[in-house]
Amino acid sequence: MSKGIITRRDFLKAGAGIFLGGMIFSGEKEKNLRERVILIRDKNVFKSKNDFDPKIVQKMIDEALMLLTGENDPLRAWKTILRPDDTVGIKSNVWAYMPTPKEVEEAIVKRVREVGVPSERISVDDRGVLRNKVFKEATALINVRPLRTHHWAGIGGCIKNYIMFTPTPFLLHPDSCAELGSLWQKPIVKDKTRLNILIAFRPLFHGIGPHHYSESYVWDYKGMIIGFKPATVDAVGVRLIQRKREEFFGEDKPLYVPPKHVFVAGTKYNLGETDLSKVKIEKLGWEEGILI
Amino acid sequence: MKREIFRGISVLVILMSFSFFQRDFMRKMIPDEVNGWKRREVSFYDKRNIFDYIDGAGELYISYNFRLLMSARYEKIGAPAIIVDLFDMGSSEDAFGVFTFERGEESAGIGQNSYYRGGLLTFWKSQFFVSIYAEEENEETKNAIFQIAREIENSIKEEGKLPGLINFIYDFVDKDSVKFFHDQNILNSHYFLSYENILNLGKDTNAVAGKSGKGEFVLIVSYPNEIKAKSAYRKFLSSFMPGSTKGLEKMENGKWSGIGIHKEILILVFDSQSEEECKEKIEKIKEKIEKEKGNE
């Protein structure tokens, strides 16, 4: 309201289509679309509760990337973002309740190899990235993790996934982890991320208790949000979680902690557009219950 | 110099003794076995290493000044694991406060207040906040959770007192909606006010908040002294209601917000239906504070 200070009143002023959790969304009408994000879903992606069909997973990633790059062949699409002489770190996530599915990791590794990158220059890691030789020498990163609410950052998405690139993650906790986007300026990361994949197979839309997890608050969405800009991909993830919360709770129930870091990553660190009225969300596959 | 070294060693020994006895005491609070679930590993965490256990969630407990966390895992063949997290919050006020972060409307009947949802039971008693969580919810795990909870509850002999500020707010909001906290992030998680700390909330402030049946959000903050309260009052006015002299203003959603001050205490009311209602609520809370303080 006063100069330089954003308060509740700024959100009230923005009117309909805003989300008080901390992100400004001024509606979905397409105008001057700056960025694209692919939302792909397949209703058959689950084989069982925690197993996924590897062929469908592969197809989902390939199709999304083909649409994103404008190529009509998976390998050609992957070759637009990677070269055979790249050293590739695949930043995964090992959170016990909701890790990056191995089928997704394997699908990515398969294509990276097919691009021509030898196995010794490919690594999948999360908590060990700072000690990992491949990550230390990486020329390219693929960022992949599941979508969930987060106790102190609002959501766990692509921006937050790079927290392991600092030896002191707790220093980024103040102000609901607002400065997470700063991680993307570190030399080990800067300008290396070629693709962001936010997995929404079974997102957590409401966390409870010290462990911030309950089977009661996940749902089978069977989707992935894929794009080049992490803040844009995360903004779509925030929207999805918010829509699910509205549907489940029957009211606009803001996240416990506003996902301010996504907004800050977009505006301060230039990591993507977070105003979804300026983003083209291209949808592929299963449409039932899409929410967005 | 020798005296300082001796004093330092003495403090260290006292702290280590406290930690040792406290861990031993907490270990004895939880059962070895319940309905076939056997207690496996027990681990302890303090402010230095809580992030190793619950990542960013540790900030919540740190904001409530927690001292020690004991975590225990219960396992039974063919059944989901049950995880018990027992927090020594150092004071009953903060145990109550951390409980209110996620409180529900109906008590589950354990401790001084409790809440069960989605396979998770949380309750507080004395200076302890307890979370018991089953990795998968079913009738069997629910029964075991409540049995573990009752054993822990029984091991805590005395009840703790509520924060004094609670008395100022109870008449004006739904009791089940009341939250107690210190920190700006916690306020924003209940009612987003600003990205900036426009009320100067922190370790040295106590705050209670709640919602009235009419949808008003009432916030009362106690500062260490009147100077700090006045400073926060001015900061709020300049950030949230620039140009306002009365501390009352119509918001962009057509509702009214206002702020009042009584010595070291700020009273804020948001989302009132009218100017009169907002003003009246602030005045009544002021009267209540005066009356309660007069009785002290």
Side-chain angles (χ1 to χ4, degrees):
Chain A
M1 194 65 200
S2 76
K3 202 177 174 185
I5 297 179
I6 296 173
T7 73
R8 183 179 194 86
R9 299 190 66 181
D10 295 286
F11 292 98
L12 292 174
K13 217 185 285 177
I18 61 96
F19 161 42
L20 276 176
M23 308 277 293
I24 297 176
F25 295 125
S26 50
E28 285 183 2
K29 206 173 173 184
E30 292 185 6
K31 55 176 183 185
N32 305 320
L33 301 175
R34 275 180 44 185
E35 281 164 28
R36 296 165 63 220
V37 165
I38 313 300
L39 169 60
I40 185 163
R41 298 171 74 218
D42 192 309
K43 67 175 178 182
N44 297 314
V45 71
F46 282 89
K47 274 170 70 181
S48 64
K49 192 182 167 198
N50 290 312
D51 287 314
F52 305 94
D53 186 322
K55 282 185 185 160
I56 292 177
V57 168
Q58 186 79 66
K59 188 167 158 276
M60 290 172 79
I61 297 173
D62 287 345
E63 283 185 3
L65 190 59
M66 284 192 289
L67 185 59
L68 205 54
T69 59
E71 296 291 343
N72 56 11
D73 171 78
L75 196 54
R76 274 211 294 274
W78 279 91
K79 281 182 175 173
T80 64
I81 62 166
L82 293 173
R83 297 182 349 179
D85 60 352
D86 272 325
T87 298
V88 183
I90 298 161
K91 176 61 182 64
S92 187
N93 196 288
V94 296
W95 191 52
Y97 296 105
M98 198 184 276
T100 302
K102 66 180 188 315
E103 294 85 353
V104 176
E105 294 173 350
E106 285 164 5
I108 297 167
V109 168
K110 180 172 182 283
R111 289 294 185 233
V112 177
R113 279 202 194 113
E114 286 171 5
V115 166
V117 181
S119 296
E120 64 271 19
R121 281 196 276 116
I122 305 170
S123 181
V124 182
D125 205 341
D126 178 10
R127 297 191 176 166
V129 288
L130 287 177
R131 300 181 301 276
N132 185 311
K133 189 170 179 287
V134 169
F135 277 82
K136 284 199 263 188
E137 294 171 359
T139 55
L141 297 171
I142 309 281
N143 184 15
V144 56
R145 66 157 299 159
L147 169 65
R148 69 177 180 98
T149 56
H150 190 275
H151 220 301
W152 209 244
I155 70 151
C158 288
I159 300 289
K160 171 94 175 52
N161 202 34
Y162 277 11
I163 197 158
M164 284 301 146
F165 284 109
T166 172
T168 50
F170 56 88
L171 294 181
L172 285 160
H173 287 166
D175 193 13
S176 59
C177 306
E179 295 296 321
L180 279 169
S182 65
L183 287 166
W184 293 63
Q185 315 242 311
K186 291 172 82 74
I188 192 169
V189 169
K190 195 171 185 210
D191 299 330
K192 292 181 182 175
T193 303
R194 306 290 171 82
L195 193 63
N196 296 282
I197 303 175
L198 192 54
I199 302 160
F201 289 161
R202 184 183 285 133
L204 175 73
F205 62 91
H206 181 62
I208 54 171
H211 300 273
H212 198 75
Y213 184 82
S214 169
E215 289 276 328
S216 304
Y217 302 115
V218 294
W219 90 109
D220 290 351
Y221 186 70
K222 304 176 180 180
M224 286 193 219
I225 303 160
I226 300 182
F228 293 131
K229 297 283 189 175
T232 313
V233 169
D234 280 359
V236 176
V238 171
R239 167 67 67 86
L240 176 61
I241 282 182
Q242 195 60 27
R243 286 276 158 88
K244 181 63 189 175
R245 291 168 69 87
E246 286 163 15
E247 181 189 77
F248 186 87
F249 296 109
E251 59 177 319
D252 179 14
K253 191 177 171 77
L255 294 161
Y256 277 135
V257 173
K260 180 179 173 182
H261 74 275
V262 176
F263 178 63
V264 174
T267 51
K268 184 172 174 183
Y269 296 105
N270 199 28
L271 291 172
E273 182 60 68
T274 55
D275 178 348
L276 294 187
S277 69
K278 295 176 183 162
V279 176
K280 187 174 186 182
I281 304 171
E282 296 183 59
K283 298 161 191 171
L284 286 174
W286 188 42
E287 287 185 4
E288 191 184 325
I290 197 163
L291 294 175
I292 290 179
Chain B
M1 183 70 179
K2 275 182 184 173
R3 189 179 291 173
E4 280 170 11
I5 291 170
F6 177 74
R7 200 176 287 161
I9 291 170
S10 304
V11 169
L12 197 64
V13 168
I14 291 167
L15 286 175
M16 284 171 68
S17 307
F18 165 77
S19 179
F20 174 79
F21 287 117
Q22 186 62 357
R23 285 171 191 228
D24 191 45
F25 176 70
M26 287 170 76
R27 228 182 244 118
K28 288 173 183 162
M29 287 169 71
I30 58 171
D32 293 333
E33 186 177 346
V34 165
N35 299 351
W37 269 272
K38 289 183 180 166
R39 194 180 78 194
R40 300 297 179 202
E41 63 269 39
V42 170
S43 39
F44 287 89
Y45 303 89
D46 58 21
K47 284 177 188 170
R48 291 165 302 180
N49 62 355
I50 190 170
F51 298 118
D52 296 344
Y53 180 55
I54 47 175
D55 187 27
E59 292 287 0
L60 171 69
Y61 302 95
I62 288 173
S63 84
Y64 281 100
N65 308 307
F66 103 98
R67 283 188 190 176
L68 194 62
L69 158 63
M70 183 184 74
S71 169
R73 188 176 174 88
Y74 287 79
E75 290 177 353
K76 178 180 175 178
I77 292 167
I82 294 173
I83 294 133
V84 176
D85 293 311
L86 177 58
F87 293 82
D88 178 354
M89 301 303 298
S91 74
S92 60
E93 289 90 343
D94 280 329
F96 166 76
V98 80
F99 170 77
T100 63
F101 183 75
E102 280 182 23
R103 72 185 302 174
E105 286 175 7
E106 283 180 34
S107 171
I110 303 282
Q112 291 185 251
N113 205 345
S114 54
Y115 181 34
Y116 181 81
R117 71 285 192 197
L120 172 73
L121 174 74
T122 49
F123 75 92
W124 78 280
K125 187 174 180 184
S126 187
Q127 83 261 36
F128 295 100
F129 169 72
V130 185
S131 157
I132 309 175
Y133 166 68
E135 289 192 337
E136 216 176 287
E137 186 188 20
N138 57 42
E139 272 310 302
E140 212 189 350
T141 54
K142 190 175 175 183
N143 288 338
I145 284 172
F146 275 82
Q147 196 162 327
I148 293 169
R150 281 189 203 99
E151 294 208 26
I152 296 173
E153 179 194 19
N154 292 336
S155 72
I156 307 167
K157 301 300 173 203
E158 288 179 15
E159 293 205 337
K161 61 172 185 168
L162 290 166
L165 277 181
I166 291 290
N167 294 329
F168 305 154
I169 202 170
Y170 262 174
D171 292 348
F172 305 97
V173 296
D174 294 338
K175 282 188 178 180
D176 289 336
S177 74
V178 169
K179 320 278 186 186
F180 173 72
F181 53 93
H182 308 281
D183 190 83
Q184 153 87 357
N185 276 323
I186 309 296
L187 169 63
N188 273 349
S189 68
H190 299 309
Y191 188 86
F192 177 75
L193 190 61
S194 172
Y195 285 150
E196 308 299 323
N197 189 1
I198 60 176
L199 284 170
N200 291 340
L201 296 177
K203 291 274 180 213
D204 62 351
T205 54
N206 292 321
V208 285
K211 273 191 176 169
S212 74
K214 287 183 171 179
E216 289 162 308
F217 184 80
V218 179
L219 171 64
I220 302 174
V221 187
S222 171
Y223 293 84
N225 53 52
E226 288 184 41
I227 295 168
K228 289 197 173 185
K230 278 180 185 160
S231 167
Y233 178 85
R234 285 192 294 269
K235 190 173 178 184
F236 177 84
L237 274 189
S238 64
S239 312
F240 202 78
M241 301 177 173
S244 168
T245 49
K246 293 191 293 182
L248 278 165
E249 208 162 293
K250 193 174 189 179
M251 300 287 109
E252 289 71 13
N253 59 357
K255 294 179 179 173
W256 285 79
S257 296
I259 182 168
I261 184 166
H262 177 81
K263 295 182 179 174
E264 79 283 9
I265 295 174
L266 290 193
I267 304 130
L268 299 102
V269 175
F270 300 92
D271 298 332
S272 282
Q273 295 298 328
S274 67
E275 182 177 9
E276 292 70 36
E277 276 186 41
C278 190
K279 194 176 169 184
E280 191 184 333
K281 187 150 270 187
I282 291 169
E283 288 308 316
K284 280 188 174 171
I285 295 171
K286 266 191 201 176
E287 284 169 22
K288 176 81 178 173
I289 294 170
E290 277 172 26
K291 193 178 160 196
E292 291 280 331
K293 288 221 165 236
N295 292 337
E296 275 177 3

